[in-house]
């Protein structure tokens, strides 16, 4: 399917056993470095803060309502807020998740989903964008950027009075319908804060799913797992990490940020670059972006909890419309 609406922006063809006990001292390896059976279909859920999480759940619920269950993918990749969504939609009914968002009290910090360490003023989000923007400008390449972001996060953690590790873990746990890894194959990216090396967690990594999601959603603060510290999975490659779907015949990407990246194109971190690489290896790829009429709900507004219900509704409406267009591709 090669139709690319130029104005709507809502759809593009871009051609261990589970652990539920105490954390180990160190994860048992990066899932991306193991030979992983990619399977036929991959679902990629990008990061996008509280509103992005709501939009992703809305899209999946809308697709399901219209008869297309994309949670049956052989592989699901969830980054940052998308990691929360990946666990949510594989351990609970997407329709129920959507209903919970739509009926949550306005601005409720306990409403399902989200990203970052709880409700944050828009000014803080703007400051975060400015701070990371300066780091991006100073970096030489993607690897240097990850090292700089990790060092900055560790330094900020040492001097700030943000939520404690236990508080953040409890917040993330409350968002997840289950404290167990999903039975379906799920990959959750993060970045080692001390080395800048990319890390991908799965059920065989020896890491509780709550910790994997907490690390991938950590935003500007490092999250400790055993002896390691990790920062947001969106810093691994981009908000989607679609490259992890290499080897899958069909790849569906839900990108709340519309595939945008703040890094130079030549660094290879843009979604379009990764989609091109997937296509070059034989994958068929479809992407869903938020409709242009709701783009204001993302970016600096992505942590505004009051926007979660309309973001979820917008996603649901898109999903219902796009299900027919995607049926032949997905099935």
């Amino acid at each position: 399917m090669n139709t690319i609406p130029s104005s709507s922006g809502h759809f593009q063809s871009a051609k261990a056993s589970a652990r539920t006990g105490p954390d180990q001292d160190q994860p048992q390896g990066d899932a991306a470095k193991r030979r992983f059976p990619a399977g036929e279909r991959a679902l990629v859920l990008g990061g996008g803060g509280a509103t992005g999480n709501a939009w992703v759940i809305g899209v999946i619920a809308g697709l399901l309502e219209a008869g297309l269950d994309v949670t049956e993918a052989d592989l699901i990749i969830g980054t940052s807020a998308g990691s929360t969504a990946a666990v949510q939609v594989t351990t609970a009914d997407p329709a129920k998740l959507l209903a919970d968002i739509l009926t949550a009290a306005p601005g409720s910090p306990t409403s399902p989903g989200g990203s970052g360490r709880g409700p944050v003023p828009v000014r803080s989000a703007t400051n975060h964008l400015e701070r990371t923007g300066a780091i991006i400008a100073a970096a030489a390449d993607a690897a240097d950027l990850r090292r700089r972001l990790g060092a900055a996060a560790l330094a900020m953690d040492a001097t700030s009075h943000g939520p404690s590790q236990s508080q953040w873990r409890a917040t993330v746990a409350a968002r997840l319908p289950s404290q167990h890894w999903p039975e379906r194959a799920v990959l959750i990216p993060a970045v080692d804060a001390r080395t800048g090396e990319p890390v991908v967690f799965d059920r065989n990594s020896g890491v509780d799913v709550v910790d994997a999601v907490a690390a991938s959603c950590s935003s500007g603060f490092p999250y400790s797992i055993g002896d390691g510290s990790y920062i947001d999975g969106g810093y691994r490659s981009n908000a989607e990490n679609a490259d992890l779907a290499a080897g899958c015949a069909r790849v569906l990407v839900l990108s709340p940020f519309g595939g945008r990246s703040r890094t130079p194109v030549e660094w290879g971190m843009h979604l379009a670059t990764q989609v091109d690489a997937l296509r070059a290896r034989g994958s068929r790829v479809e992407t869903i972006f938020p409709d242009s009429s709701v783009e204001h709900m993302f970016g600096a507004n992505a942590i505004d909890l009051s926007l979660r219900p309309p973001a979820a509704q917008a996603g649901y409406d898109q999903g219902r419309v796009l299900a027919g267009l995607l049926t032949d591709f997905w099935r």
Side-chain angles (χ1 to χ4, degrees):
M1 191 179 305
N2 291 317
T3 55
I4 304 179
S6 60
S7 59
S8 68
H10 66 269
F11 180 75
Q12 283 193 326
S13 172
K15 304 213 145 174
S17 60
R19 285 185 56 84
T20 56
D23 294 336
Q24 294 181 328
D25 288 341
Q26 195 69 18
Q28 297 299 298
D30 182 355
K33 295 177 181 177
R34 296 196 295 273
R35 185 174 179 82
F36 197 86
E40 177 69 16
R41 299 174 297 182
L43 176 64
V44 179
L45 307 181
T51 58
N53 169 272
W55 177 80
V56 164
I57 289 173
V59 171
I60 293 173
L63 291 171
L64 182 60
E65 174 70 19
L68 191 63
D69 186 0
V70 295
T71 68
E72 293 181 342
D74 302 289
L75 175 65
I76 298 179
I77 299 158
T79 299
S80 195
S83 70
T84 309
V87 176
Q88 289 172 323
V89 300
T90 52
T91 56
D93 179 5
K96 175 64 165 57
L97 294 170
L98 174 65
D100 288 344
I101 295 171
L102 296 178
T103 59
S108 170
T110 59
S111 58
S115 182
R117 303 213 174 203
V120 182
V122 173
R123 175 176 291 187
S124 295
T126 302
N127 291 344
H128 174 71
L129 291 173
E130 292 175 350
R131 181 177 62 83
T132 53
I135 296 174
I136 292 170
D141 53 29
D144 185 38
L145 172 62
R146 289 191 293 266
R147 287 192 294 269
R148 288 173 180 266
L149 287 167
L154 291 169
M156 184 171 63
D157 190 48
T159 59
S160 69
H161 299 284
S164 69
Q165 172 98 1
S166 60
Q167 287 176 318
W168 178 230
R169 191 181 194 281
T171 297
V172 170
R175 295 170 175 169
L176 304 181
S178 171
Q179 307 298 297
H180 300 270
W181 278 94
E183 293 300 321
R184 204 167 302 281
V186 174
L187 300 183
I188 297 179
V191 172
D192 189 313
R194 294 171 181 164
T195 67
E197 289 296 313
V199 175
V200 180
F201 299 118
D202 70 354
R203 62 184 294 115
N204 297 310
S205 297
V207 171
D208 287 356
V209 68
V210 175
D211 291 312
V213 173
S216 191
C217 291
S218 61
S219 190
F221 289 89
Y223 182 81
S224 297
I225 303 176
D227 295 331
S229 293
Y230 302 90
I231 57 174
D232 200 284
Y235 299 139
R236 175 190 172 274
S237 181
N238 61 4
E240 297 83 19
N241 290 297
D243 62 295
L244 292 173
C248 289
R250 290 166 287 167
V251 181
L252 178 62
V253 182
L254 274 59
S255 173
F257 286 150
R260 297 186 298 274
S261 176
R262 300 162 64 204
T263 59
V265 174
E266 57 268 25
W267 289 5
M269 300 177 75
H270 286 224
L271 175 60
T273 302
Q274 296 192 8
V275 167
D276 287 344
L278 289 171
R279 291 182 62 201
R281 296 185 60 173
S283 297
R284 295 172 60 197
V285 184
E286 303 284 3
T287 64
I288 301 178
F289 299 159
D291 189 87
S292 58
S293 64
V294 298
E295 287 178 349
H296 66 282
M297 297 182 186
F298 308 98
N301 289 326
I303 58 174
D304 186 342
L305 298 181
S306 70
L307 293 177
R308 278 178 58 78
Q313 185 66 54
Y316 173 77
D317 293 341
Q318 283 184 256
R320 284 183 55 83
V321 169
L322 296 175
L325 299 175
L326 287 169
T327 297
D328 289 343
F329 161 75
W330 190 250
R331 293 179 176 171

